[in-house]
Amino acid sequence: MNNADLILLAIAIPALTPFLLAATGKWPNLRDTVSVIASIATFAAVLPLLLAVIDGARPAISLVEVMPGLVIGFEIEPLGMLFATVASGLWIPTALYSIGYMRGAHEKKQTRFAICFAIAIASAIGIAFSGNLFTLFIFYEVLTISTYPLVAHKETPEAKRGARTYLAILMTTSILFLLVALIWTWNIAGTTEFRAGGILDGRLDPAFAPFLLALFAFGIGKAALMPFHRWLPAAMVAPTPVSALLHAVAVVKAGVFTMLKVGTYIFGIGFLGKTGASDWLVWLAAASILIASIVALTKDDLKARLAYSTVSQLSYITLGMALAVQMGVIGGAMHIATHAMGKIALFMCAGAIYVAAHKTKISQLDGLGRKMPVTFACFTIAALSIIGLPPFAGAWSKWYLMVAAADANQLIIIGVLMVSSLLNVAYLLPIPARAFFLKPKDDETHGDAASSRIEETPLLCLLPICFAALGCIVLFFTIGGLYEYLLSIPIRPESLP
Amino acid sequence: MMALIEANLPALQVVLPLIAAPICAILGRGGRSWAFACIVILATFAISVALFAQTYAGTIISYRMGGWEIPLGIEYRVDRLNAFVLLIISGSATLVLPYARRIVAAEIPAERQPLFYTAFLLCIAGLLGITITGDAFNIFVFLEISSLATYALVASGSWVNKRALTAAYNYLIMGTVGATFFVIGVGMLYMITGTLNLADLAVRIADHGDSSTLRMGFVFILIGIGLKLAMFPLHLWLPNAYAYAPSAVTAFLAATATKAAVYVMLRFMFTVFGFDYEFQADTLRMVVLPLAVIAMFAASIVAIFQDNLKRMLAYSSIAQIGYILLGLTFLTETGLTASIVHLFNHAVTKAALFMVAGCFILSAGTCSISKLGGIGRDMPWTTAAFVAGGFSLIGLPLTVGFISKWYLVLAALELGWWPVALMIMASSLLAVIYVWRVVEVAYLQPAPEGTVRKEAPLSMLIPTWIFVGLSIWFGVNAMLTSTAAGRAASALFDSSHILWKE
Amino acid sequence: MSDIGIELDYIMGRYNYWLFCILMMTGLYITVSRGNLIKKIVGLNIFQTAVFMLYISMGKVIGGTAPILTEVPETIYSNPLPHVLILTAIVVGIATTAVALALVVRIRESYGTIEEDEILELEHDMDFGSGAAQGDPVA
Amino acid sequence: MEHHSILRVVSKLLIPPMLVYALYVQFHGEYSPGGGFQAGVVFAAAFVLYSLVHGIDALTRVAPPRVLHALAGLGVLIFAGTGVVTMALGDAYLGYYALAEHPQHAQEWGIVVVEFGVGMTVASVMLSLFIAFASHTRKLDDKDW
């Protein structure tokens, strides 16, 4: 089996799993087994590709020519490979976790949930492997549609409203801006292929570059750049595995990944740096980082706080691209991985708390740390990683971003990153602190008989959490390899005279 | 025998359904006349395919009715453009007829069914005639044949809801006014040139040059055809006519009737008057362009507030016609390609959606959106078809709607018309709203108490899904449609430019 | 004074067009303004007739006779083609009128009136009266 | 109806000439003004006159709607069928030259046959229309006259 077939396989496995899931829907155990096996199989298909890409291979395959010159095709480069590895790798713990969660929380329509989940993963991998912007756009939209039923899963009026916001913002931005940007790119460049060094240099009038970049930056709504971030908190009505999927694995990462791709392979870092087209984006991203962090501070709902934290963290990656230096791309790409690891752990913890204690507010968590020590220990590790303290993975990506800011002579940005870290401390650390050190309130919350039965979450939930927390630490010590790997992202045009 | 048929394909294309219509009436039984109509339509479709294949390379087939010399007699002329439209019309008919059997049986009394199929065949013959003929007055005659049949078909919805009668009446008044305007316009052209043959008209008009009579002729034709194709604000007949016609009729009309009228418009604007006719270019950009944009928004917004699914889709059709007209007003090859490809794409999409509405009516007894709660569970396949068609209406990738939007926006960007490009996209967002309203009700709302609904019969489901399949297939692999449309556009473009060269 | 003469000539020389305009506008006005469905059809017919007259007057060649072959070779004939076209148009017009009248008969049977405003009122009641949804069949 | 003798007599006098005149117009259409459209209408008018005097029931006995519908269809078939025949004979649709050797005869034959079909359709459609509308109205009593 050659690499090109593996690409198709990696997408086909999660894309075809829904049929199996639908067929086995009547037998929950069988269905969930299918789901887990599919996740492992997908990862198994992605791994050999990763090894090949590390060796310098660039597998490619084109499927069908939709319109003259417009091809649905895949081509793997280091950035996409990283995202695919993250998405497929984290699908395994998420799949396990969602079984535990969905059963623990007695959710309905678990088959539909599993089906949409698999499609979402398939489209995330499709995004990662896309050989051109057009293919990427297709999978981007598939991802939007397939996650809609997940967000609306509970079918309550509240869930419907949240899902509506989710869909409205993602659709509006993608159709109104991203598609126009795509067609514009096609119009001036005659292609939408991802090429090292970008395809716009020499074709696009530098005066228009900031506008095109703006269409892209706002068009990629999944990157949750302010002011188009509202969908993320709105989507918090979803079951927690969905939140994990949205915030760590698929949706938001697809957004920032697209942003990096566009910056690196459509505009080209060199072109951006030369024209200064992305200067405004640096400041917008910086503002987004700070404002979202401050908003997070005000939220008492655990998931909402995490959501705003995500908004802030995503802007790091956008920022990395906008700095228009190689180190920025590396830092951004690294942040995809490290933030994914940390955030998935945080969300799984939030879900675990809900399943075990039915608590969603931070103010209700007092003293819960003693009943669920493992969960909260993992929460702390993940929080520290997000904050960016060594020896946790998040430290490295922040480090490289700061290096990038220095490279780009944007010293204020270094300050912004530091302030942001402090804000992270302020909104993340109080949560485990309350849980561990404050006494449980005796009135209504813990005093009744039901609360005395609170104990650690189901094992199926707990294992993935531990795995993700462990990942935060492991990633810190193996970052050298990742850095080496990310250096292979081609920045300059391949064939320079 | 084969050679004989081959030589007379253009005539047979129209004559076959025309002859079949009275036979259908004489046959007398619903089932029998339906089967007969099916066979005839299949043959008609085969002829269209043959014509399409013959002209795909660029040959122009010219057929002289009654053997008269060309500018004197009536000419049937098939080129890439109308071969494509013929294919759309007969193809839609081929799929709608099998679908019609069950829903017609439910909506129309048995003794009236043969007449229904007669009118249906007449309507097809008229539409095909409009498309194939190369004679301006002949277009009028066929326009009226198809329209008269359509009025009758729409009115036959009165067995279900009496409002079909007033809908048909309004359609008749506006349609007749439109047709008469068209005749006046043709008369003006005849006054100037003394010919009715379209190709001949083009040459003579170019020789004659601009004049106020020519301008009057153009305006009359524009308004006349505008009425027939429901150009905003001449669309008032359409929503009720579509909403209260029998479901099979709605599906067929949505796919074909306005398309044939658009074809006539294309033909007159670009074959007869030509791209370089300045008055036309001005009118298109100053009048038609704003109207098309208003249609895109106004009709979509009205669609959002409709409770009747068919009415909602009807308003959406008006908006989609706005897209087609918008493509024309660009006056570029890409713009024309966009319009022509959207002719096909919208036909496929809308037919599928109206068919879904018909399935709902058959199974649930209503297509009122507020009563369709939870129908996604009872009729999974039908509802899935709606979702897929809705995606195409929105213009999501991998559906035909996307291809249309792509070409339209590309055409706008080529001209540097920024605001227009953004408006195209903004109006497709309105489509998200009205499609999603239905999706939400169908999947996330509980079913009303005490409803029993079961999946639509296969005879209806299969044609619906063929349309859906087409809308996906030609969304994934649009080479055939986009090349065909592109070639038709470039043929129009080339021929049209030669004419006005001084 | 010769100016006026030209003006008069201009007007009188095109009297067929003026007639056509007046008839056409009359017909169109009736169609649009009358509430009675039958009167609308009458208006439509006047409107169509105007067009017939336009065509027929167009085919007239001054000094020409009816286009029937005569023995005299230098006879000038009027153009017969518009007549033929209008014959077809008349037939189409009759068919349209027949369908329209048939519809009016059916409307009268179902609604009990052929006045447009009364019909609109009835339809408004169907839409918003007593909670009937639009999509519902009406028995 | 029996006592309206004037009407009866006049109609008896008028109807046969009307029918004959219709046939004249019908079959001289290829040389002189006339043809199927006009003939059909005159032909139908004779029947309408009959029905005005003797009542709609009398007319439907003479020309039952079902027969009229069939005749209308048949007329179209004659028209269109001629075209198909000429096609089968190797000429274009409605290319009459294939019908006979002498071109003038061929044209004549073609026109006569086609016009016959037209006349038949027009007459029967006119009558069906009349019947359709007339049978919707209330029956007239003798004293209403």
Side-chain angles (χ1 to χ4, degrees):
Chain A
M1 178 163 283
N2 64 17
N3 286 333
D5 293 336
L6 274 177
I7 297 178
L8 292 185
L9 198 65
I11 298 169
I13 293 172
L16 296 179
T17 309
F19 295 103
L20 267 180
L21 289 172
T24 56
K26 281 179 196 147
W27 306 280
N29 289 333
L30 189 57
R31 178 195 65 208
D32 291 341
T33 317
V34 167
S35 175
V36 173
I37 290 175
S39 66
I40 294 171
T42 311
F43 190 57
V46 170
L47 262 188
L49 284 171
L50 177 65
L51 297 177
V53 170
I54 290 175
D55 283 345
R58 296 288 178 267
I61 183 171
S62 53
L63 284 185
V64 50
E65 194 171 6
V66 174
M67 277 175 275
L70 213 55
V71 181
I72 298 183
F74 302 104
E75 185 179 359
I76 307 186
E77 39 70 58
L79 204 53
M81 198 58 239
L82 174 74
F83 177 47
T85 315
V86 170
S88 62
L90 290 183
W91 188 22
I92 302 172
T94 321
L96 283 171
Y97 176 81
S98 57
I99 297 168
Y101 179 90
M102 296 304 275
R103 294 186 176 188
H106 306 291
E107 294 278 356
K108 291 188 188 101
K109 304 215 172 77
Q110 296 186 16
T111 309
R112 183 176 81 186
F113 178 86
I115 288 175
C116 293
F117 210 103
I119 298 175
I121 294 291
S123 42
I125 296 177
I127 289 176
F129 288 163
S130 292
N132 53 47
L133 199 55
F134 173 66
T135 314
L136 193 149
F137 180 76
I138 292 172
F139 284 104
Y140 184 94
E141 292 291 17
V142 176
L143 184 57
T144 309
I145 303 284
S146 62
T147 44
Y148 169 81
L150 295 176
V151 177
H153 186 81
K154 286 181 178 153
E155 300 191 4
T156 55
E158 197 193 7
K160 271 192 248 176
R161 210 176 317 121
R164 229 178 274 161
T165 315
Y166 175 77
L167 190 79
I169 292 182
L170 290 187
M171 276 281 184
T172 308
T173 52
S174 69
I175 290 180
L176 199 55
F177 303 131
L178 185 55
L179 185 52
V180 175
L182 169 64
I183 299 176
W184 192 8
T185 309
W186 163 262
N187 189 21
I188 47 182
T191 175
T192 64
E193 246 177 80
F194 293 122
R195 274 195 214 134
I199 55 175
L200 293 177
D201 196 3
R203 295 195 176 100
L204 178 65
D205 182 352
F208 285 120
F211 296 104
L212 182 55
L213 185 67
L215 282 180
F216 273 117
F218 294 123
I220 303 166
K222 292 199 172 84
L225 194 66
M226 281 188 169
F228 294 109
H229 66 284
R230 273 287 312 147
W231 64 269
L232 237 180
M236 283 303 125
V237 293
T240 306
V242 177
S243 301
L245 176 83
L246 293 177
H247 294 249
V249 181
V251 179
V252 294
K253 289 297 139 56
V256 286
F257 167 74
T258 309
M259 202 77 107
L260 281 179
K261 272 278 234 214
V262 167
T264 324
Y265 298 113
I266 296 291
F267 281 90
I269 291 299
F271 180 66
L272 283 180
K274 195 167 64 188
T275 58
S278 59
D279 286 355
W280 64 274
L281 190 56
V282 172
W283 298 109
L284 185 69
S288 201
I289 290 173
L290 293 180
I291 296 172
S293 301
I294 294 168
V295 174
L297 270 176
T298 67
K299 296 286 169 188
D300 185 38
D301 187 287
L302 180 55
K303 279 169 81 179
R305 184 173 288 193
L306 293 179
Y308 274 99
S309 157
T310 306
V311 174
S312 151
Q313 298 286 321
L314 291 176
S315 290
Y316 280 64
I317 302 168
T318 309
L319 180 74
M321 184 272 280
L323 284 171
V325 289
Q326 184 181 20
M327 213 45 89
V329 174
I330 291 175
M334 204 180 272
H335 203 63
I336 290 184
T338 56
H339 175 246
M341 214 45 124
K343 218 17 120 20
I344 201 169
L346 289 180
F347 270 107
M348 285 174 173
C349 288
I353 295 165
Y354 174 73
V355 169
H358 291 279
K359 299 279 185 282
T360 57
K361 297 260 189 283
I362 294 166
S363 51
Q364 299 169 332
L365 297 181
D366 299 357
L368 211 55
R370 265 162 267 177
K371 303 212 163 154
M372 308 172 66
V374 185
T375 308
F376 276 97
C378 293
F379 191 98
T380 315
I381 293 172
L384 289 173
S385 173
I386 296 284
I387 292 164
L389 288 179
F392 304 106
W396 284 117
S397 50
K398 277 200 181 169
W399 164 256
Y400 283 112
L401 282 173
M402 286 192 195
V403 173
D407 275 358
N409 283 325
Q410 301 271 27
L411 295 183
I412 302 175
I413 296 301
I414 298 182
V416 168
L417 291 175
M418 285 167 140
V419 173
S420 148
S421 288
L422 289 178
L423 286 169
N424 286 350
V425 172
Y427 67 72
L428 279 178
L429 281 188
I431 302 166
R434 280 185 100 127
F436 280 122
F437 302 124
L438 284 190
K439 267 205 186 125
K441 289 181 191 143
D442 286 329
D443 54 298
E444 11 94 46
T445 47
H446 284 237
D448 54 8
S451 68
S452 60
R453 281 193 272 109
I454 293 177
E455 44 194 50
E456 199 51 273
T457 40
L459 197 60
L460 222 45
C461 282
L462 204 57
L463 271 181
I465 296 176
C466 295
F467 167 80
L470 202 63
C472 288
I473 302 173
V474 172
L475 207 54
F476 177 81
F477 293 106
T478 55
I479 207 72
L482 184 57
Y483 178 71
E484 286 294 318
Y485 169 75
L486 289 176
L487 272 181
S488 67
I489 297 175
I491 297 296
R492 269 170 221 81
E494 273 149 12
S495 52
L496 269 185
Chain B
M1 185 64 192
M2 282 317 285
L4 211 61
I5 289 175
E6 205 181 325
N8 289 300
L9 278 181
L12 283 173
Q13 176 82 94
V14 183
V15 168
L16 203 60
L18 203 61
I19 296 184
I23 298 178
C24 209
I26 295 170
L27 277 177
R29 277 279 186 70
R32 243 185 294 165
S33 40
W34 170 78
F36 178 70
C38 277
I39 295 167
V40 170
I41 286 304
L42 212 58
T44 315
F45 180 58
I47 294 172
S48 297
V49 173
L51 285 174
F52 184 75
Q54 283 179 19
T55 52
Y56 189 71
T59 5
I60 293 174
I61 303 172
S62 170
Y63 184 85
R64 295 176 299 166
M65 276 313 228
W68 294 94
E69 286 306 312
I70 284 299
L72 291 179
I74 293 170
E75 182 195 11
Y76 278 14
R77 195 181 171 90
V78 190
D79 62 7
R80 282 163 172 167
L81 176 60
N82 55 4
F84 190 57
V85 180
L86 287 174
L87 202 63
I88 296 175
I89 293 172
S90 57
S92 312
T94 315
L95 285 173
V96 169
L97 257 185
Y99 169 90
R101 177 93 183 94
R102 288 291 296 268
I103 186 90
V104 164
E107 288 182 338
I108 290 168
E111 75 274 12
R112 298 281 171 164
Q113 286 172 21
L115 289 176
F116 176 87
Y117 292 116
T118 308
F120 201 91
L121 285 171
L122 274 179
C123 184
I124 293 166
L127 291 170
L128 292 171
I130 295 172
T131 314
I132 205 169
T133 186
D135 183 273
F137 200 82
N138 210 220
I139 290 182
F140 163 73
V141 173
F142 279 121
L143 203 59
E144 283 305 80
I145 290 178
S146 72
S147 297
L148 284 169
T150 311
Y151 308 145
L153 287 173
V154 171
S156 66
S158 66
W159 305 108
V160 179
N161 186 334
K162 66 180 176 182
R163 296 188 63 172
L165 292 171
T166 45
Y169 180 86
N170 283 331
Y171 186 12
L172 183 140
I173 296 287
M174 296 193 77
T176 308
V177 170
T180 312
F181 266 63
F182 177 75
V183 187
I184 298 173
V186 171
M188 305 252 171
L189 298 189
Y190 182 73
M191 255 188 247
I192 298 170
T193 60
T195 182
L196 289 168
N197 184 291
L198 292 178
D200 201 29
L201 264 176
V203 178
R204 295 205 197 177
I205 285 178
D207 285 345
H208 171 267
D210 199 4
S211 74
S212 55
T213 318
L214 187 68
R215 292 183 178 195
M216 285 303 286
F218 168 73
V219 170
F220 272 117
I221 288 175
L222 177 69
I223 296 177
I225 298 297
L227 267 163
K228 288 280 180 189
L229 61 74
M231 176 170 85
F232 186 88
L234 307 173
H235 66 276
L236 297 169
W237 56 268
L238 190 143
N240 277 346
Y242 278 19
Y244 300 114
S247 304
V249 173
T250 314
F252 178 68
L253 288 184
T256 56
T258 46
K259 308 297 171 291
V262 169
Y263 161 76
V264 175
M265 193 148 193
L266 275 173
R267 192 47 100 190
F268 266 92
M269 289 194 168
F270 302 123
T271 299
V272 175
F273 292 105
F275 273 89
D276 302 340
Y277 182 31
E278 216 168 290
F279 178 69
Q280 168 177 280
D282 290 346
T283 315
L284 283 182
R285 293 205 166 151
M286 309 293 234
V287 180
V288 179
L289 175 82
L291 287 180
V293 172
I294 295 174
M296 278 154 43
F297 283 92
S300 300
I301 291 171
V302 176
I304 293 172
F305 297 100
Q306 299 302 317
D307 182 52
N308 182 333
L309 185 60
K310 277 165 83 176
R311 238 176 116 85
M312 180 195 99
L313 293 173
Y315 275 107
S316 143
S317 278
I318 298 168
Q320 301 287 325
I321 288 163
Y323 289 124
I324 296 175
L325 291 177
L326 189 67
L328 296 187
T329 62
F330 292 145
L331 293 172
T332 60
E333 210 175 313
T334 319
L336 267 186
T337 311
S339 285
I340 298 170
V341 89
H342 197 50
L343 274 187
F344 173 81
N345 292 348
H346 179 238
V348 168
T349 308
K350 241 341 139 30
L353 286 172
F354 274 117
M355 283 175 152
V356 169
C359 292
F360 284 160
I361 289 177
L362 186 74
S363 295
T366 177
C367 68
S368 159
I369 294 174
S370 52
K371 294 187 180 170
L372 292 180
I375 204 155
R377 252 150 285 165
D378 297 341
M379 304 174 67
W381 287 100
T382 315
T383 319
F386 181 88
V387 174
F391 284 172
S392 176
L393 215 53
I394 297 169
L396 290 179
L398 300 186
T399 62
V400 285
F402 180 77
I403 310 290
S404 311
K405 295 269 157 65
W406 178 276
Y407 274 111
L408 264 180
V409 173
L410 190 63
L413 288 181
E414 273 178 3
L415 289 171
W417 290 4
W418 269 102
V420 177
L422 285 178
M423 274 189 280
I424 294 167
M425 288 309 173
S427 72
S428 53
L429 287 174
L430 293 172
V432 178
I433 301 178
Y434 59 72
V435 168
W436 221 264
R437 219 162 54 96
V438 182
V439 171
E440 214 178 78
V441 169
Y443 284 105
L444 301 180
Q445 207 136 302
E449 297 280 315
T451 46
V452 186
R453 300 176 292 207
K454 53 180 197 302
E455 187 55 276
L458 276 183
S459 72
M460 293 168 73
L461 216 48
I462 290 173
T464 310
W465 268 95
I466 291 178
F467 270 122
V468 172
L470 285 175
S471 79
I472 293 171
W473 173 256
F474 286 112
V476 174
N477 188 348
M479 288 303 269
L480 180 68
T481 48
S482 58
T483 336
R487 285 182 177 189
S490 69
L492 269 186
F493 202 73
D494 294 343
S495 67
S496 170
H497 267 313
I498 301 162
L499 292 172
W500 282 75
K501 267 172 200 156
E502 302 295 320
Chain C
M1 286 297 112
S2 64
D3 279 1
I4 293 175
I6 291 172
E7 293 287 307
L8 211 65
D9 236 28
Y10 183 80
I11 294 169
M12 291 312 292
R14 289 164 173 74
Y15 70 93
N16 58 330
Y17 295 131
W18 299 118
L19 205 65
F20 155 71
C21 282
I22 294 167
L23 266 184
M24 180 181 123
M25 287 306 152
T26 314
L28 208 54
Y29 176 74
I30 296 174
T31 311
V32 175
S33 65
R34 292 299 106 169
N36 186 308
L37 300 188
I38 295 282
K39 287 184 184 168
K40 272 176 185 286
I41 298 172
V42 172
L44 206 61
N45 274 319
I46 296 176
F47 176 47
Q48 286 182 318
T49 310
V51 183
F52 302 159
M53 297 192 54
L54 171 76
Y55 265 81
I56 291 170
S57 65
M58 193 159 81
K60 171 71 181 168
V61 176
I62 294 172
T65 72
I68 301 170
L69 283 176
T70 57
E71 302 296 317
V72 193
E74 58 267 22
T75 325
I76 303 171
Y77 300 108
S78 286
N79 185 355
L81 191 64
H83 298 75
V84 179
L85 298 180
I86 285 317
L87 188 61
T88 317
I90 290 173
V91 174
V92 169
I94 289 170
T96 312
T97 312
V99 174
L101 287 174
L103 280 172
V104 175
V105 169
R106 288 287 311 277
I107 289 174
R108 161 81 201 228
E109 281 172 4
S110 315
Y111 287 80
T113 174
I114 53 167
E115 291 298 327
E116 200 175 25
D117 38 4
E118 288 172 30
I119 291 171
L120 285 177
E121 217 164 274
L122 287 171
E123 290 191 339
H124 189 268
D125 285 350
M126 287 160 71
D127 277 351
F128 303 105
S130 63
Q134 287 175 27
D136 276 0
V138 173
Chain D
M1 192 49 58
E2 291 309 310
H3 50 276
H4 291 295
S5 40
I6 299 178
L7 286 175
R8 229 164 355 108
V9 172
V10 171
S11 69
K12 270 185 182 168
L13 280 177
L14 269 180
I15 291 174
M18 278 174 89
L19 291 177
V20 173
Y21 180 63
L23 291 175
Y24 169 82
V25 172
Q26 169 80 60
F27 290 107
H28 287 73
E30 78 275 15
Y31 274 120
S32 60
F37 284 125
Q38 296 87 327
V41 175
V42 176
F43 201 81
F47 282 83
V48 171
L49 179 60
Y50 177 73
S51 150
L52 287 177
V53 175
H54 294 276
I56 191 77
D57 293 336
L59 177 61
T60 46
R61 266 198 306 278
V62 179
R66 288 205 47 195
V67 175
L68 289 177
H69 291 166
L71 281 178
L74 199 62
V76 176
L77 284 182
I78 291 175
F79 183 112
T82 315
V84 175
V85 169
T86 60
M87 236 169 4
L89 292 175
D91 205 322
Y93 186 75
L94 291 179
Y96 301 132
Y97 291 116
L99 287 176
E101 287 205 357
H102 193 281
Q104 206 168 333
H105 285 296
Q107 286 291 332
E108 202 176 328
W109 272 109
I111 294 174
V112 166
V113 173
V114 162
E115 289 291 333
F116 180 66
V118 172
M120 196 158 146
T121 305
V122 170
S124 36
V125 166
M126 279 315 207
L127 273 182
S128 323
L129 282 175
F130 177 77
I131 291 171
F133 286 121
S135 50
H136 268 275
T137 51
R138 186 171 55 95
K139 283 233 173 56
L140 281 178
D141 277 340
D142 272 359
K143 41 183 186 308
D144 291 338
W145 285 81

